[in-house]
Amino acid sequence: MLQQVNGHSPDSDAQSGKSHREDLREFLGREAPLHQLDDLTKVNPVTLETVLRCLQARYMADTFYTNAGCTLVALNPFKPVPHLYLPELMREYHAAPQPQKLKPHVFSVGEQTYRNVKSLIEPVNQSIVVSGESGAGKTWTSRCLMKFYAVVAASPTSWESHKIAERIEQRILHSNPVMEAFGNACTLRNNNSSRFGKFIQLQLNRAQQMTGAAVQTYLLEKTRVAYQASNERNFHIFYQICKGASEDERLQWHLPKGAAFSWLPNPERTLEEDCFEVTREAMIHLGINAPTQNNIFKVLAGLLHLGNIQFADSEDEAQPCQLMDNAKCSVRTSALLLQLPEDMLLETLRIRTIRAGRQQQVFRKPCSRTECDTRRDCVAKLVYARLFDWLVSVINSRICADPGSWTTFIGLLDVYGFESFPDNSLEQLCINYANEKLQQHFVAHYLRAQQEEYTVEGLEWSFVNYQDNQACLDLIEGSPISICALINEECRLNRPSSAAQLQTRIESALAGNPCLGDNKLSPEPSFIVVHYAGPVRYHTAGLVEKNKDPVPPELTILLQQSQDPLLAVLFPVNPKEKTQEEPSGQSRAPVLTVVSKFKASLEQLLQVLHSTTPHYIRCIKPNSQGQAQTFLQDEVLSQLEACGLVETIHISAAGFPIRVSHQNFVERYELLRRLRPRTFSGPGRCSERSPNGKEATLQPLLQDILHTLPALTQAAATPGDSDEATPAPVHCGRTKVFMTDSVLEVLECGRAQVLEQCARCIQGSWRRYQHLKQQRQRRAAVLIQAAIRSWLARKHIARLHTAATTIKRAWQKWRIRMAFLASKELDGIEEEHFSQAPRSSSSSPQPPIQTRLLGAIIRLWPLGLVLANAATGIQGFQRKLVVWACLQLPRDSPRGYTVQIAQQDQAGVTSIRALPQGSIKFHYRKSPLRYADMCPEPSPYSVTGFNQILLERHRLIHV
């Protein structure tokens, strides 16, 4: 029974088909927002049709990446999209706090794997499995991932390490063009189809910097060198040297323009991959110099000329086959380019050496035309396979780091996609067998492991039915009887193989397997295998011979006689080395077949994948014609069914993709207990179990944290949205907490809220502390300033007091002296004045000048005394009044005055000894300046102290 997904149960289709169709029609009618669904788990309901329509809407909107739970679905755009792979976009995904929040992209998968290595205390190796049919874009995806890691994982700290990282980055990136030129070809489904599998190991040091890489290859389709299907091409490198060679190189390699080669079909077709200069430049970066490159291309040209050697049937079986017309020139040119003896080359291709008997007698037998063609093709396949392996070893020697310099790796697996052609042989059987193994790895890792984990953890889970391909694998590789076992047995028997007999054995021995299809109507001997991606018909003709992959020893001896430096490296002369074609004595040990070698390498690869944390990218081909903006629903639908994508979406949407151990969950979300309400009725529940030890101590903490979910969900819900306010599902297993993405988002929001509150609390306390500290500092500064000012004021006042005391003493002395002198002078003048008789002013004559001077002195001395004691603020009009009052000058005319003497009835100064009748005081206004009175400075014109002038009032007597 399928788990209910987003409120819809797929099993309810039979019971409520009408409502389901209405929901589906309503969903399919809303095509406008489909391109905005960046995750297929959000599609409701999850069916093949709805997923198909969502992918189509996104593809037509030029959105080529979509998440499907743990898998990234990549649609091949079949057109250049440079803005999707810019270095700036790589850095954006690398610097994003949460790359999963960005749009789905191959860079998000790359960043996730890189952070998994970087964030763990004990890093776990990561792997990315890029799968899909041929032409779906697996090679391009792997190339983009390599560029991404070359950018983000090469961050040196010094100039020297920067140069090292840059050199490694360039070597890794330049290994792609070389391997694609020698290992890719144009097929019916893809212009750049990988005809080999490769696992690229990107090596990282403890600082997560890329220090090197290693490449491991699987099952090169070397038969393509000598045989190409209709409308297909040979490997890219042959077309590159024929189209990109210079005139001198054409003369040197004997490749004239317009030359026809039987192993070079469709030469007029020009592809983007036919760029010779890119391959040569990449080889230079990998350390393959120009002479070595010239040697490689010369050998490849020799193989092309070798393919033009055609044989004719011999009339006499005892005589070797004759050459066809123009074949002699091809033999001569091929021998010249491969630096082989021409006679020895021709003899080896036409005459077979047989060893028989106990004494290993040697017999020479002429070969038939078919055998000659087979031996010719065997030479080409053997040379090209050895050359390809040598190139891989050179690349590894240039890019691989020392074992002690790296600790972890990120693996990129790019294998040939599932293939089904009209004529399928051993190559397609091995390719589809590898895809079956990878599909089983995906099923075991995600689909099956996820459901089994729910059961172990005690969760209430309704299992999702998924397609298990174990039966197909048992058919292909099972023990003791399987297709591979029967083919290897035919090779071990070393007898002439019959296609019909092999078909009969397979059908009779494996008749009970449900994955073996019915093949009664086939006109040719063949068998059908029902793969996870669909049924494929395999022809049994030539299957055993291809599995043997025989290499006659005389062909190896021939190539060891070559004077070419490269062939001397590829075929060293080592008598101690025994090949599989030269068994020792009567030993009947089975030779190592192609299937056996491929199965062993595939098992080794799967062991590496099982030891890593895998990530999956499913490449989908929108159409088989390679046309942009063309989405063929039938073709895409078959691919969705084949890769098990719908089952993946079902489990991802219905299950709990987020799982955290109890300890880690408590450590991260324990602070949410601050938000725990007093009452609780939430969804989180723990499975029934009897915890002990550490788990028992974690249970109260887990319950307290889960109790906060209702309040957090209510706070996160928008007003009027009842669906958002309902608690999201979360389950507490025996050792882990299972939750959905929505629950994780709610918990993270609550955690951010608590952290924000704590931050505000800390900031408030810090600000209060800083405010109090500033206040204390201001108060201390004020006290210090007041103390300094008080000390300065006291010091100044003391100085002023000392000066005032000195002035006071001096003034007192001066006043006594002046009083004495004044008394003495006034007493003398008074006596002289009163001794003279008074006269009338009108009748008496003018007094002499001495008398007038004496009278003026007598009158003016109070003026000097007054002016000397007057305050400095008395100026202007007030000062004049004082002068006029003392002089008693008439105001009418300045000259009309008379000198009066003091009489008995007049006011005047008669004696300073007179009793005081009043006092004269001078006042001044306080200055408006603030500090004028605080620190007064002595002035030479100011008079300190008080003077009182005591005068007796008498009436003035006019003289």
Side-chain angles (χ1 to χ4, degrees):
M1 182 176 180
L2 296 179
Q3 174 70 19
Q4 186 174 354
V5 181
N6 295 337
H8 177 80
S9 177
D11 283 344
S12 64
D13 292 348
Q15 302 176 0
S16 57
K18 184 178 180 180
S19 61
H20 175 72
R21 286 192 297 271
E22 291 178 355
D23 294 339
L24 182 60
R25 190 180 302 109
E26 179 183 358
F27 173 79
L28 297 178
R30 297 182 286 111
E31 287 186 325
L34 284 179
H35 66 278
Q36 300 176 2
L37 298 177
D38 56 359
D39 197 328
L40 295 179
T41 59
K42 299 178 182 179
V43 176
N44 185 23
V46 181
T47 62
L48 281 173
E49 290 78 13
T50 55
V51 170
L52 182 68
R53 296 295 294 271
C54 182
L55 290 176
Q56 183 176 10
R58 292 178 65 82
Y59 182 76
M60 301 310 292
D62 286 345
T63 306
F64 307 110
Y65 293 104
T66 309
N67 289 326
C70 68
T71 306
L72 177 70
V73 179
L75 295 170
N76 193 340
F78 290 120
K79 64 179 181 180
V81 194
H83 67 276
L84 280 180
Y85 309 101
L86 295 175
E88 293 78 9
L89 191 61
M90 299 181 188
R91 298 186 184 94
E92 179 182 353
Y93 276 85
H94 181 58
Q98 295 180 332
Q100 63 273 15
K101 296 295 184 181
L102 300 178
K103 295 180 179 180
H105 202 285
V106 64
F107 296 155
S108 62
V109 179
E111 181 61 23
Q112 182 181 359
T113 58
Y114 184 70
R115 293 193 181 188
N116 285 355
V117 173
K118 190 174 182 179
S119 61
L120 297 178
I121 298 176
E122 295 182 358
V124 179
N125 297 325
Q126 307 289 309
S127 61
I128 301 178
V129 180
V130 184
S131 60
E133 292 188 1
S134 178
K138 301 185 302 297
T139 301
W140 173 259
T141 301
S142 301
R143 190 187 307 171
C144 292
L145 287 170
M146 292 183 64
K147 289 182 179 179
F148 176 78
Y149 289 122
V151 171
V152 305
S155 53
T157 56
S158 63
W159 176 253
E160 182 179 357
S161 58
H162 171 75
K163 300 299 292 183
I164 295 175
E166 185 179 7
R167 184 167 62 253
I168 294 173
E169 171 188 347
Q170 291 299 323
R171 288 176 180 175
I172 293 175
L173 293 180
H174 284 93
S175 65
N176 269 338
V178 176
M179 300 194 70
E180 289 182 11
F182 285 84
N184 290 16
C186 176
T187 63
L188 293 175
R189 298 184 177 183
N190 185 9
N191 291 339
N192 190 30
S193 176
S194 297
R195 306 320 301 164
F196 70 104
K198 61 177 179 291
F199 182 74
I200 304 173
Q201 187 184 68
L202 303 178
Q203 300 160 348
L204 305 176
N205 58 14
R206 295 186 181 275
Q208 286 74 48
Q209 298 175 1
M210 190 162 57
T211 60
V215 180
Q216 183 178 359
T217 59
Y218 304 94
L219 192 65
L220 175 69
E221 191 187 13
K222 57 185 179 181
T223 57
R224 184 169 290 269
V225 177
Y227 171 77
Q228 303 82 32
S230 177
N231 295 325
E232 291 191 355
R233 299 203 319 173
N234 209 325
F235 292 103
H236 292 322
I237 188 62
F238 292 105
Y239 298 89
Q240 290 181 3
I241 63 176
C242 290
K243 296 181 180 180
S246 63
E247 294 297 332
D248 295 338
E249 291 171 341
R250 289 181 182 277
L251 293 176
Q252 185 181 359
W253 301 338
H254 298 273
L255 296 175
K257 289 185 178 181
F261 297 98
S262 59
W263 288 351
L264 205 67
N266 304 315
E268 70 285 350
R269 187 176 181 182
T270 302
L271 301 178
E272 182 182 357
E273 288 74 20
D274 296 340
C275 188
F276 191 38
E277 292 301 324
V278 174
T279 304
R280 303 187 74 164
E281 183 180 358
M283 296 176 74
I284 289 292
H285 282 276
L286 292 174
I288 304 175
N289 53 27
T292 306
Q293 291 184 29
N294 183 70
N295 199 173
I296 293 172
F297 302 141
K298 185 177 66 172
V299 170
L300 294 177
L303 296 182
L304 288 179
H305 286 280
L306 182 67
N308 284 349
I309 301 177
Q310 302 294 331
F311 297 93
D313 292 328
S314 176
E315 297 179 357
D316 186 2
E317 294 182 357
Q319 297 296 327
C321 295
Q322 299 298 321
L323 295 175
M324 298 286 290
D325 297 338
N326 300 327
K328 292 184 179 181
C329 181
S330 299
V331 172
R332 188 182 307 109
T333 306
S334 178
L336 178 63
L337 292 174
L338 299 177
Q339 296 191 21
L340 293 170
E342 182 180 349
D343 296 338
M344 187 176 181
L345 172 61
L346 191 57
E347 180 182 354
T348 305
L349 295 180
R350 296 189 300 175
I351 298 178
R352 180 163 56 100
T353 302
I354 302 175
R355 298 178 183 272
R358 294 183 177 181
Q359 298 181 356
Q360 294 292 309
Q361 296 181 356
V362 178
F363 299 92
R364 298 170 63 86
K365 179 182 179 181
C367 299
S368 64
R369 177 184 175 182
T370 303
E371 292 177 340
C372 291
D373 292 340
T374 302
R375 295 169 72 87
R376 176 201 61 198
D377 297 346
C378 184
V379 171
K381 292 187 294 182
L382 181 61
V383 171
Y384 194 83
R386 294 277 184 98
L387 176 60
F388 184 80
D389 293 339
W390 178 81
L391 281 174
V392 173
S393 65
V394 170
I395 292 174
N396 285 331
S397 66
R398 300 295 295 175
I399 67 177
C400 188
D402 296 332
S405 63
W406 60 276
T407 56
T408 56
F409 69 85
I410 298 176
L412 303 179
L413 179 61
D414 176 18
V415 294
Y416 12 62
F418 184 86
E419 293 184 349
S420 178
F421 297 109
D423 186 7
N424 301 287
S425 187
L426 184 67
E427 294 83 7
Q428 282 69 39
L429 178 62
C430 292
I431 289 173
N432 295 338
Y433 167 50
N435 280 271
E436 288 285 352
K437 295 290 287 185
L438 292 177
Q439 177 67 12
Q440 187 197 43
H441 176 265
F442 174 74
V443 169
H445 172 74
Y446 185 73
L447 301 180
R448 183 188 301 163
Q450 189 172 35
Q451 298 194 80
E452 290 178 355
E453 185 177 11
Y454 293 159
T455 304
V456 172
E457 290 290 333
L459 271 67
E460 297 179 2
W461 174 257
S462 297
F463 284 87
V464 175
N465 296 324
Y466 58 88
Q467 181 181 2
D468 192 355
N469 63 339
Q470 185 59 47
C472 183
L473 288 174
D474 293 339
L475 175 65
I476 298 176
E477 64 170 6
S479 178
I481 301 177
S482 62
I483 294 176
C484 292
L486 293 175
I487 296 176
N488 287 334
E489 184 180 354
E490 288 291 331
C491 296
R492 186 170 60 254
L493 293 176
N494 196 18
R495 64 184 181 184
S497 61
S498 171
Q501 183 180 359
L502 179 61
Q503 176 190 357
T504 303
R505 289 196 62 188
I506 291 176
E507 291 179 348
S508 60
L510 302 172
N513 194 298
C515 292
L516 184 65
D518 187 10
N519 192 32
K520 295 181 179 180
L521 300 179
S522 176
E524 299 178 357
S526 61
F527 59 91
I528 296 177
V529 176
V530 182
H531 293 279
Y532 76 97
V536 179
R537 182 188 304 274
Y538 299 98
H539 295 277
T540 56
L543 201 62
V544 176
E545 292 299 324
K546 287 185 178 181
N547 188 38
K548 290 180 181 179
D549 194 17
V551 179
E554 54 266 25
L555 297 184
T556 305
I557 296 174
L558 169 67
L559 295 173
Q560 289 175 349
Q561 304 301 319
S562 173
Q563 301 300 319
D564 185 81
L566 179 60
L567 291 180
V569 174
L570 299 180
F571 299 93
V573 179
N574 189 0
K576 297 181 181 180
E577 184 183 60
K578 292 184 179 181
T579 62
Q580 66 178 21
E581 296 80 15
E582 299 173 330
S584 59
Q586 300 297 325
S587 174
R588 294 186 178 181
V591 298
L592 190 61
T593 62
V594 174
V595 171
S596 300
K597 292 187 290 185
F598 181 73
K599 183 179 180 181
S601 62
L602 193 58
E603 291 295 337
Q604 182 181 3
L605 171 64
L606 289 175
Q607 289 180 2
V608 174
L609 292 180
H610 283 299
S611 65
T612 63
T613 300
H615 306 264
Y616 300 94
I617 299 179
R618 296 284 188 177
C619 297
I620 301 296
K621 182 171 55 176
N623 60 84
S624 58
Q625 291 77 26
Q627 298 178 357
Q629 293 294 315
T630 302
F631 192 92
L632 301 181
Q633 296 185 5
D634 294 338
E635 295 185 9
V636 176
L637 189 62
S638 63
Q639 296 177 65
L640 293 178
E641 292 175 341
C643 67
L645 187 61
V646 175
E647 288 82 0
T648 304
I649 298 171
H650 270 303
I651 292 185
S652 299
F656 306 96
I658 309 299
R659 58 205 66 192
V660 186
S661 65
H662 290 173
Q663 182 66 31
N664 294 338
F665 186 82
V666 170
E667 289 178 358
R668 183 167 183 83
Y669 299 111
E670 185 177 6
L671 48 82
L672 293 179
R673 298 173 64 194
R674 299 170 179 262
L675 304 176
R676 184 171 65 89
R678 296 183 180 178
T679 59
F680 166 71
S681 59
R685 60 182 184 274
C686 293
S687 301
E688 295 181 0
R689 58 190 179 277
S690 56
N692 50 27
K694 191 174 183 179
E695 288 292 332
T697 61
L698 294 177
Q699 292 309 313
L701 300 177
L702 286 171
Q703 291 297 335
D704 288 346
I705 296 172
L706 294 177
H707 289 175
T708 63
L709 274 177
L712 293 176
T713 307
Q714 186 68 29
T718 57
D721 193 350
S722 59
D723 295 337
E724 293 293 337
T726 58
V730 56
H731 290 269
C732 181
R734 291 187 174 92
T735 61
K736 297 178 182 179
V737 177
F738 295 82
M739 70 190 90
T740 60
D741 291 328
S742 59
V743 174
L744 180 65
E745 185 176 356
V746 169
L747 289 174
E748 287 295 326
C749 290
R751 184 173 181 269
Q753 178 183 352
V754 174
L755 291 177
E756 184 179 359
Q757 292 176 358
C758 295
R760 289 179 178 177
C761 221
I762 294 173
Q763 289 177 355
S765 301
W766 175 255
R767 287 170 181 169
R768 286 193 299 271
Y769 165 75
Q770 290 293 335
H771 181 67
L772 293 176
K773 183 178 178 180
Q774 291 177 0
Q775 284 186 343
R776 288 195 296 267
Q777 290 177 351
R778 290 197 201 98
R779 190 179 299 111
V782 170
L783 292 176
I784 293 173
Q785 291 177 358
I788 293 175
R789 288 176 181 173
S790 176
W791 177 78
L792 291 176
R794 287 196 302 270
K795 185 176 180 181
H796 184 64
I797 290 173
R799 188 167 59 250
L800 291 179
H801 185 268
T802 303
T805 303
T806 303
I807 294 173
K808 181 179 179 181
R809 291 174 182 174
W811 167 252
Q812 289 177 353
K813 294 180 181 179
W814 179 81
R815 187 177 61 178
I816 294 173
R817 181 176 181 80
M818 290 302 296
F820 172 74
L821 293 177
S823 175
K824 185 177 180 180
E825 289 179 356
L826 289 177
D827 289 345
I829 293 174
E830 184 178 2
E831 294 176 358
E832 183 180 356
H833 175 68
F834 284 103
S835 65
Q836 298 177 3
R839 296 183 181 178
S840 175
S841 60
S842 59
S843 59
S844 60
Q846 291 293 331
I849 188 170
Q850 292 83 0
T851 303
R852 293 197 301 271
L853 182 57
L854 182 58
I857 291 174
I858 294 172
R859 284 182 172 276
L860 295 178
W861 79 266
L863 175 61
L865 187 59
V866 170
L867 294 178
N869 290 277
T872 58
I874 300 178
Q875 296 177 357
F877 182 69
Q878 295 179 358
R879 194 177 189 90
K880 292 179 181 180
L881 290 178
V882 175
V883 174
W884 288 339
C886 294
L887 295 179
Q888 292 185 0
L889 299 177
R891 299 183 183 180
D892 296 335
S893 61
R895 297 182 181 179
Y897 66 90
T898 58
V899 179
Q900 298 178 351
I901 60 175
Q903 299 297 332
Q904 188 68 25
D905 57 349
Q906 292 181 344
V909 180
T910 58
S911 174
I912 63 174
R913 300 186 187 93
L915 293 175
Q917 299 297 324
S919 61
I920 300 176
K921 296 182 180 179
F922 297 92
H923 301 276
Y924 63 95
R925 224 186 293 178
K926 186 175 181 181
S927 173
L929 300 176
R930 181 176 181 181
Y931 298 100
D933 300 325
M934 293 181 64
C935 299
E937 295 294 338
S939 175
Y941 302 104
S942 62
V943 179
T944 60
F946 296 95
N947 297 309
Q948 292 182 354
I949 303 175
L950 304 179
L951 303 175
E952 294 180 356
R953 293 187 180 180
H954 298 279
R955 297 180 62 85
L956 296 177
I957 302 175
H958 296 278
V959 182

